[in-house]
């Protein structure tokens, strides 16, 4: 890049590593840093990893306004099996059955980090990320069998609930609203892109989900992740749209028996997670709640 001589250039919070004067009187600024340095923002978009930053020209001290700011974007193919660092399985650990570790977290709306607040504007999206740590186990597919919202951290027989996922993996809220499952980056993780709702508005809301770790090669009416695609006016199977006929039962009652037999069923690779408290607020109303840490409570 050509820059005026003796200028002070910064990439994020990093000063140029080297500056060479050219015969034309201009200069060549070099930045020799890792992409994890200099406040690069790393984003995942489809099969690509994007690193974004800003090149700043400051001929005067940092306290003075910059003469110009130039956006920098580096694009790389996403490595196979790459998992964003903020989804490190070490945070929010909950021991599940069968020696597996299940996790469930709330991400920010941009899906770039763990959420910093549990106060959510009505109508915005709540990305709920869940995973199972496979460790030395054979590859597993994580499914959300059932999810409901409630105003209590524990469900009772008479609890008032808002159904989100029903019928063994049918995202009911995708048919009523704009919720959906996002494309997986790994079979052992799933992201529910849930649009916030009026249920429990202004109160503490808890998301109760029944998670299932399953054989990724065997999908059926009872083992699936389906959401409704309004453009096509039909249910679609997240993991293989070509097999979306499995989701047809979402409009009625799905078969709860698995053709795989009793072997996997008896292993009990299931876990119930509760995410909350979350507070959904109407932006037109004054926010009387203070943000607090998002917690995870798990029960067998």
């Amino acid at each position: 890049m050509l820059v005026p001589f003796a200028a002070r250039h910064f990439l994020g919070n990093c000063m140029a590593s080297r500056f060479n004067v050219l015969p034309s009187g201009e200069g060549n600024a070099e930045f020799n840093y890792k992409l994890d340095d200099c406040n690069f923002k790393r984003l995942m978009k489809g099969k690509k990893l994007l690193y974004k930053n800003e090149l700043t020209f400051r001929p005067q001290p940092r306290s003075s306004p910059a003469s110009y700011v130039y956006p920098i974007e580096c694009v790389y193919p996403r490595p196979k099996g790459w998992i964003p660092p903020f989804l490190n399985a070490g945070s929010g650990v909950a021991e599940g059955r069968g020696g597996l570790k299940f996790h469930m977290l709330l991400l920010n709306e941009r899906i770039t980090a763990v959420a910093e607040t549990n106060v959510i504007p009505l109508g915005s999206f709540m990305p709920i990320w869940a995973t199972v740590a496979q460790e030395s186990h054979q590859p597993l597919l994580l499914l959300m069998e059932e999810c409901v919202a409630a105003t209590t951290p524990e469900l009772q027989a008479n609890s008032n609930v808002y159904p989100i996922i029903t019928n063994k993996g049918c995202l009911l809220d995708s048919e009523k609203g704009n919720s959906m499952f996002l494309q997986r980056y790994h079979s052992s993780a799933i992201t529910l892109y849930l649009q916030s709702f009026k249920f429990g508005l202004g109160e503490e809301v808890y998301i109760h989900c029944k998670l299932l770790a399953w054989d990724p090669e065997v999908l059926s009416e009872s083992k699936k992740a389906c959401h409704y695609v309004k453009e096509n006016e039909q249910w679609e199977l997240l993991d293989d749209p070509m097999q979306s006929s499995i989701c047809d039962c979402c409009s009625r009652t799905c078969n709860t028996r698995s053709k795989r037999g009793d072997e996997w069923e008896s292993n009990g690779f299931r876990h119930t997670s509760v995410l909350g408290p979350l507070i959904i607020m109407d932006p037109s109303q004054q926010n009387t709640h203070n943000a607090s840490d998002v917690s995870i409570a798990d029960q067998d």
Side-chain angles (χ1 to χ4, degrees), residues 7-269:
R8 301 183 67 191
H9 281 74
F10 296 87
L11 185 60
N13 61 349
C14 298
M15 185 179 292
S17 306
R18 183 178 178 183
F19 191 89
N20 297 323
V21 180
L22 301 178
S24 63
E26 297 178 310
N28 182 21
E30 296 182 5
F31 294 86
N32 298 314
Y33 297 95
K34 296 180 180 180
L35 288 173
D36 291 333
D37 300 332
C38 306
N39 288 341
F40 269 94
K41 294 181 180 179
R42 178 165 51 183
L43 305 175
M44 181 176 64
K45 187 175 182 181
K47 296 183 179 181
K48 297 179 180 180
L49 283 179
L50 282 68
Y51 293 83
K52 295 187 175 183
N53 212 327
E54 291 182 339
L55 176 65
T56 305
F57 170 39
R58 292 183 182 277
Q60 302 297 326
R62 270 187 178 271
S63 57
S64 303
S67 290
Y68 69 78
V69 177
Y70 188 82
I72 301 294
E73 181 175 288
C74 304
V75 182
Y76 298 90
R78 176 164 60 90
K80 185 177 181 181
W82 182 83
I83 299 177
F86 69 86
L87 298 184
N88 189 322
S91 60
V93 174
E95 186 72 28
R97 296 181 180 178
L100 300 176
K101 294 179 180 179
F102 292 80
H103 318 271
M104 195 161 77
L105 295 170
L106 177 69
L107 307 182
N108 63 24
E109 191 172 352
R110 295 179 59 192
I111 321 177
T112 56
V114 176
E116 297 181 354
T117 177
N118 63 343
V119 178
I120 300 144
L122 177 64
S124 63
F125 285 89
M126 304 180 290
I128 297 175
W129 173 81
T131 189
V132 56
Q134 299 184 192
E135 298 180 352
S136 60
H137 201 282
Q138 69 185 81
L140 295 172
L141 180 71
L142 185 67
L143 299 169
M144 290 180 164
E145 287 193 304
E146 180 181 335
C147 289
V148 299
T151 54
T152 56
E154 296 182 0
L155 290 178
Q156 306 295 336
N158 59 347
S159 294
N160 185 22
V161 299
Y162 175 84
I164 299 169
I165 298 176
T166 62
N167 220 351
K168 296 292 182 179
C170 299
L171 180 50
L172 181 63
D173 207 64
S174 65
E175 190 175 25
K176 298 186 297 181
N178 298 310
S179 301
M180 67 182 75
F181 289 118
L182 297 185
Q183 181 182 359
R184 296 183 192 263
Y185 61 83
H186 196 280
S187 65
S188 62
I190 189 169
T191 304
L192 169 60
Y193 199 52
L194 180 64
Q195 188 174 29
S196 57
F197 35 74
K198 290 184 178 181
F199 176 84
L201 191 65
E203 303 179 51
E204 291 188 348
V205 172
Y206 297 82
I207 308 295
H208 300 252
C209 288
K210 294 181 180 179
L211 306 177
L212 169 68
W214 187 245
D215 184 348
E217 301 298 324
V218 181
L219 297 173
S220 66
E221 287 191 5
S222 62
K223 306 293 184 296
K224 63 188 183 304
C226 300
H227 52 204
Y228 190 78
V229 180
K230 291 185 172 63
E231 292 80 2
N232 302 331
E233 297 185 346
Q234 62 182 13
W235 290 90
E236 182 176 282
L237 184 66
L238 171 66
D239 298 292
D240 185 2
M242 297 298 293
Q243 297 188 57
S244 291
S245 58
I246 291 175
C247 303
D248 290 347
C249 65
C250 289
S251 300
R252 47 184 194 277
T253 301
C254 295
N255 182 12
T256 58
R257 290 188 178 184
S258 171
K259 296 180 181 179
R260 179 66 186 243
D262 297 331
E263 180 182 355
W264 273 73
E265 297 290 344
S266 61
N267 284 338
F269 293 150

